[in-house]
Amino acid sequence: MLAISTRGFLWSDVETRTLLNIWGEQDIQTALDGNFRNSHVYRDVARRLGEMGFERTPEQCRVRIKSLKRQFLLAKEGNLRNNGQYHKICKFYDAMERILSSRPQIDPQELLDSGAVGDETMDGTEEEEDTDPPQHPYLESTGECSYPETQVKLEYPPIPIPVTVGNGTTVRQTSSSQSASGPSSSRPKRPKKRHADLPLDSLMERFLEQSAEAEQSFYQLEEQRLQVEDRRREAEHARELHMLQVLGQMFSSIATRNPVATATATTAMPPARNTMESTMQPSVPMSASSHMTRGRSCHLRVRSPQTQAEWPSYHTQPQSNAGSQTLVIERSFSLGTAARTGMDDILPLVKNIVPPLTSKKHKGQDGRIGIIGGCQEYTGAPYFAAISALKVGADLSHVFCTKDAAIVIKSYSPELIVHPVLDSPNAVEEIEKWLPRLHSLVVGPGLGRDDKLLKNAKEVIEKSKARDIPIVIDADGLWLVAQQPSVIQGYQKGILTPNYMEFTRLYEAMHHEPLDSSDHQRSAMELSVAMGNLTVVLKGEEDLITDGNKVILCRQEGSGRRCGGQGDLLSGSLGVLAHWAYASSEDMTKSVNPSVVAAFGACSLTRQCNRQAFHKHGRATTTTDMIQEISSAFKKLFES
């Protein structure tokens, strides 16, 4: 789902109703009950709202909820006193009534008398400093701070009091606080405002107007702050580019003054943590690897135009006078001891792990693959994954799906073994009986996001980890990992295959910050390291494969055609290749991570199938057409 831009601070009706639906969920209300510090709850609310396509900060969600709560209480008070006349004050009165009906009630008049009609922007975040907990049960259950008490002064007209004097005459005197004799009594009295004369509806209207003005002012100030922050970042980036240009000019002038000395001298700084390194080697081609530091480090390299190596991410290319060498300064960022391995180095390793076909083998020896997925809405994905595993070379494919999906998946192909147990009460026990027979597991194709199915899938993953078999997680299985990373974190035989949207969700769940889309290689390595050096396959224009130590780019030619099910072909074939890679000896993989070798083989195969199918069918290419090309594509890549 593409996120709807909500950079401004005005809330639409659709966005507000989505926020109320999330805030009214049982787990959110339970987390708010009796919890005074609740910033983590609103972070969860903002995250769920973002998943629905609306980008809001936790503070904006908290302020909006508080504003709606005040409007509801005022509207409810007006409803009790004036027979529903003020029901229109709160547009979302029914939704708020449904959410708050099961919670302890609060007297709206007490809220008004306690000064709750102030500006909601006067409330800071709950964790800025320790304060006394609220005294009212309703405010205590929501964890929000109460408002300071405001003293209300009421004035009444003077009342005549009869007084009898000595001669029996009755005189009426007026009681007033200003009846004292003295010089001050001669001063003219200034008229005072009589707030008690204003009716309740006028007070309500004035309060709503002031609240709306204060809220708008707060949003405008926040927008200005964000604009200032953006300008600051742009200025820092401009200064950084200027420094690189100055360095380029400096190195260019050095090479122009003494080209002979530059061609023979080699100067390198020793590796240092978080420092800038520069290497001048104009006469020798430089590889992609150099001094790497732990953490994020910046490297400057000077290269000669005679080198034929690949040049990633140029920033400046100063040129010297005619006849002298041209130097190029490149800037790159790296994480850990990252090293790139070429396609030509990995492809032979994939060929090594492919088991030969001999008459001495028995059924099931070359792979028994399990697919965890398939529900009433999604039946094609588990079929594509399972049939792809068979086409690549697995002997048996098992599909563990729900009862509703089983008949449909069975009708697709008689080659598949379908188990309708995923939604049964004893689903984990039923699947666990088959785990000793499986060589690898693929979790996620067509799984859906039902809580019961996700819970069963999580427990199956735990059981599979205990058996030490490769686990490929794709599609809705990645949604489960984003919610509970510990389910696969640190398991070295785990392989994640996210697309860009799934990768963004995983990265932000692990690092709690937005993804930097300018450097996918560094982001993928950071995610792999955060997950315990799991193998991550970032699918895209070039498939990026990393285990946190090295990065491999799969540039096998494909096509521009994208259709649903291609990722399932990849995950199914990857399940088979992962079993073959881990069953092979270290000599066959040459000490390269078997998961990386298997992932590269699966990516290359999927791209080759896409290319061949597109050559035949063009825009009409579907995943079914790609599956028909697995045999010829496999032979061309790994058996030629």
Side-chain angles (χ1 to χ4, degrees), residues 128-196:
E128 290 181 353
E129 61 180 4
D130 294 331
T131 58
D132 294 334
Q135 300 300 322
H136 198 281
Y138 180 80
L139 296 180
E140 186 173 356
S141 65
T142 58
E144 298 186 2
C145 301
S146 61
Y147 293 87
E149 295 186 356
T150 303
Q151 186 176 6
V152 180
K153 184 176 181 181
L154 302 177
E155 297 183 0
Y156 299 92
I159 301 173
I161 302 175
V163 179
T164 305
V165 297
N167 55 3
T169 305
T170 301
V171 182
R172 293 186 176 270
Q173 295 184 351
T174 302
S175 61
S176 174
S177 59
Q178 300 294 334
S179 61
S181 60
S184 60
S185 61
S186 60
R187 298 177 183 176
K189 297 182 180 179
R190 185 173 58 183
K192 296 185 177 180
K193 297 180 180 179
R194 300 182 179 274
H195 297 287

Side-chain angles (χ1 to χ4, degrees), residues 280-287 301-312 314 325-328 330:
M280 297 178 61
Q281 296 180 349
S283 62
V284 181
M286 296 185 62
S287 63
R301 304 193 190 106
V302 184
R303 294 191 178 188
S304 171
Q306 285 79 9
T307 62
Q308 301 301 321
E310 186 178 355
W311 298 79
Y314 297 137
Q325 295 180 341
T326 303
L327 301 181
V328 180
E330 87 172 44

